[in-house]
């Protein structure tokens, strides 16, 4: 906020914004917005080379994503988070992780009804239930997470399983049997890296949504190397 800080951001080659959000076991988060959204917006107005590192406990909003160059999702990383973050930023480690959840465009993407969230008043609340005591109905059944996005044709900000690397991979030589799927993963980029291959299928009884049926992380492959 100070003039000195603004000058430092404006003249820096790259700017790292570290932010996140908090949660507790006793209540839902009041918003999916990150605590540092105002800081991200302010930095992006001063410098085009913004990198955002997010230590969030779950899904979060990225309405500012088009104004930054990269987003690193660290989750609650513990006491070694800073060292791990520096290793990835400076290329000592090539990132290979994938999102374990979907990042929505808005907080209402999933189109839950009132009875699904936050719930309806319980006509017979159990003893000790806080006022108002709400009963939640799981009407989505198996349409949880990315399955609901698929079945309702909802476009996410970042899909389940999304992730980037400092290198590139291609898949080839696909072989499918009744019990196994195999294929080659080749590093076609300029640096070593690992890839997480994911297998999705659409069973006839799935109501149209795909299901993750398997995934495998390769070894760290040098440029040109292949793993099957």
């Amino acid at each position: 906020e100070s003039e000195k800080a603004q000058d430092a951001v404006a003249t820096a080659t790259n700017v790292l914004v570290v932010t996140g959000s908090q949660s507790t076991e006793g209540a839902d988060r009041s918003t999916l917005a990150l605590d540092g959204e105002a800081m991200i917006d302010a930095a992006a107005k001063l410098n085009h080379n913004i990198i955002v590192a997010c230590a969030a406990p779950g899904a979060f909003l990225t309405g500012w994503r088009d104004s930054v160059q990269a987003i690193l999702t660290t989750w609650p990383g513990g006491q070694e988070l800073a060292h791990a973050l520096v290793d990835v930023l400076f290329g000592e480690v090539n990132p290979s992780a994938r999102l374990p959840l979907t990042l929505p465009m808005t907080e209402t993407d999933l189109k839950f009804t009132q009875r699904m969230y936050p719930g309806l008043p319980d006509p017979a609340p159990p003893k000790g239930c806080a006022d108002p005591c709400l009963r939640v109905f799981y009407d989505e059944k198996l349409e949880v997470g990315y399955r609901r996005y698929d079945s309702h044709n909802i476009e996410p900000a970042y899909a389940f399983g999304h992730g980037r690397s400092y290198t590139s991979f291609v898949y080839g030589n696909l072989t499918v049997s009744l019990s196994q799927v195999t294929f080659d993963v080749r590093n076609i980029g300029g640096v070593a890296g690992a890839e997480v291959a994911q297998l999705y299928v659409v069973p006839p009884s799935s109501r149209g949504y795909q299901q993750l049926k398997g995934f495998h992380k390769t070894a760290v492959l040098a440029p040109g190397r292949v793993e099957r």
Side-chain angles (χ1 to χ4, degrees):
E1 295 182 357
S2 68
E3 184 176 345
K4 183 177 180 180
Q6 293 182 25
D7 289 342
V9 170
T11 58
T13 302
N14 297 285
V15 177
L16 173 64
V17 177
V18 181
T19 183
S21 62
Q22 301 181 23
S23 67
T24 66
E25 295 182 358
D28 291 326
R29 293 156 64 193
S30 61
T31 176
L32 296 184
L34 295 174
D35 296 340
E37 283 199 352
M39 183 168 54
I40 296 171
D41 291 338
K45 291 177 181 178
L46 298 171
N47 196 308
H48 295 300
N49 296 319
I50 305 297
I51 302 167
V52 177
C54 312
F60 56 91
L61 298 178
T62 58
W64 36 264
R65 60 188 174 278
D66 291 335
S67 63
V68 304
Q69 296 298 317
I71 304 171
L72 286 81
T73 308
T74 65
W75 313 115
Q79 63 185 13
E80 287 299 311
L81 172 59
H83 289 154
L85 182 59
V86 168
D87 286 345
V88 170
L89 289 173
F90 285 87
E92 295 295 327
V93 174
N94 192 346
S96 59
R98 298 293 181 266
L99 284 177
L101 45 73
T102 305
L103 297 187
M105 289 283 196
T106 70
E107 292 185 333
T108 58
D109 274 6
L110 295 181
K111 299 178 174 61
F112 284 161
T113 62
Q114 178 73 25
R115 59 183 265 128
M116 294 168 69
Y117 184 83
L120 299 177
D122 194 330
K127 183 179 179 180
C129 185
D131 186 26
C133 187
L134 302 178
R135 175 180 291 184
V136 174
F137 296 84
Y138 293 96
D139 296 333
E140 68 272 27
K141 298 181 180 179
L142 294 180
E143 291 182 0
V144 178
Y146 68 88
R147 298 177 180 182
R148 187 166 181 84
Y149 281 83
D150 276 358
S151 60
H152 291 265
N153 296 315
I154 303 169
E155 181 182 359
Y158 294 97
F160 174 89
H162 175 83
R164 302 294 297 272
S165 169
Y166 293 141
T167 190
S168 300
F169 300 89
V170 294
Y171 296 5
N173 299 323
L174 175 66
T175 302
V176 180
S177 69
L178 292 177
S179 61
Q180 190 175 39
V181 175
T182 58
F183 49 87
D184 294 340
V185 178
R186 181 186 298 273
N187 183 350
I188 61 171
V191 298
E195 168 73 337
V196 179
Q198 304 167 59
L199 173 66
Y200 293 85
V201 299
V202 183
S205 60
S206 71
R207 298 177 62 183
Y209 53 75
Q210 61 184 339
Q211 300 179 21
L212 176 67
K213 289 300 182 181
F215 61 92
H216 176 76
K217 182 177 180 179
T218 69
V220 177
L221 302 176
R225 295 299 298 270
V226 180
E227 181 174 319
R228 186 164 180 80

